[in-house]
Amino acid sequence: MRILVVEDEKRLAAAIRRGLEAEGFAVDVALTGTDGDWFAQENKYDVIVLDIMLPGINGYKLCSTLRERDDWTPVLMLTAKDGELDEAEALDTGADDYLTKPFSYVVLVARIRALLRRGGATQRLIYEAGDLKLDPATHGCWRGEEAVALTAREFSVLEFLLRRKGEVVPKSEILANVWDFAFEGDPNIVEVYVRHLRKKIDQPFDKASIETIRGAGYRLAADGG
Ligand code: CA
């Protein structure tokens, strides 16, 4: 699965790239509309993530140019909350969906997955560590045969740790990916969610899958604890 990200805010573009690559996507980033147009002509993408206000050709113009060329690659448009142009216009130019900034990483991935599903070519991905299993498509979680009910946020934290099982994941990355790129609240919120998760996926099963690495972050045991 190959994704083109056309976004001129370098930090945001880099964060999106990192996140999507961790998800297993191949990602190209274009920092101007003109480059985006070039990439889109040179390669075949499964989804294009397209900002509106861009140097060179803006996102609206680029999207309608694609459609005029008979390129029907699904387009997810990024709109700013204080934007001068509205979402209806994004859809008018031939975009398939839009997302208002600031958005959380989890929502971005969910929207991309939805577009891929609409395209009909999606594979079912289940994350596993030992007998701990997570199904992002249905939001199901299991310890062995037993289903565990998680809230949406708990699920997202666990999914993020599972995708990087065996690695030390810094708290700041969990915040940036599960909450928001621009999260400015109390970082201790992550500890609260890890505590909830331990009560649900570990303690009842006599396991200890989420290890606290002092001063560094958390590590989910690759064998499920
Ligand atoms: Ca922009």
Side-chain angles (χ1 to χ4, degrees), residues 1 46 74 112-124:
M1 292 291 168
D46 296 289
I112 288 175
R113 282 201 181 119
L115 286 176
L116 289 170
R117 267 200 299 279
R118 237 188 272 173
T122 189
Q123 66 204 57
R124 183 128 175 179

Side-chain angles (χ1 to χ4, degrees), residues 157-175 178-179 186-198 201-202 208-222:
V157 171
L158 183 57
E159 181 183 355
F160 193 65
L161 290 172
L162 258 173
R163 287 208 315 259
R164 312 252 309 257
K165 66 184 176 185
E167 287 176 41
V168 179
V169 183
K171 211 194 279 185
S172 59
E173 275 185 43
I174 300 174
L175 271 179
V178 175
W179 273 263
D186 184 352
N188 291 323
I189 189 82
V190 177
E191 285 167 35
V192 174
Y193 277 87
V194 166
R195 205 156 52 229
H196 291 172
L197 281 171
R198 283 174 174 146
I201 62 164
D202 280 348
S209 64
I210 307 176
E211 188 185 354
T212 303
I213 314 292
R214 234 170 214 296
Y218 297 99
R219 178 165 54 208
L220 189 117

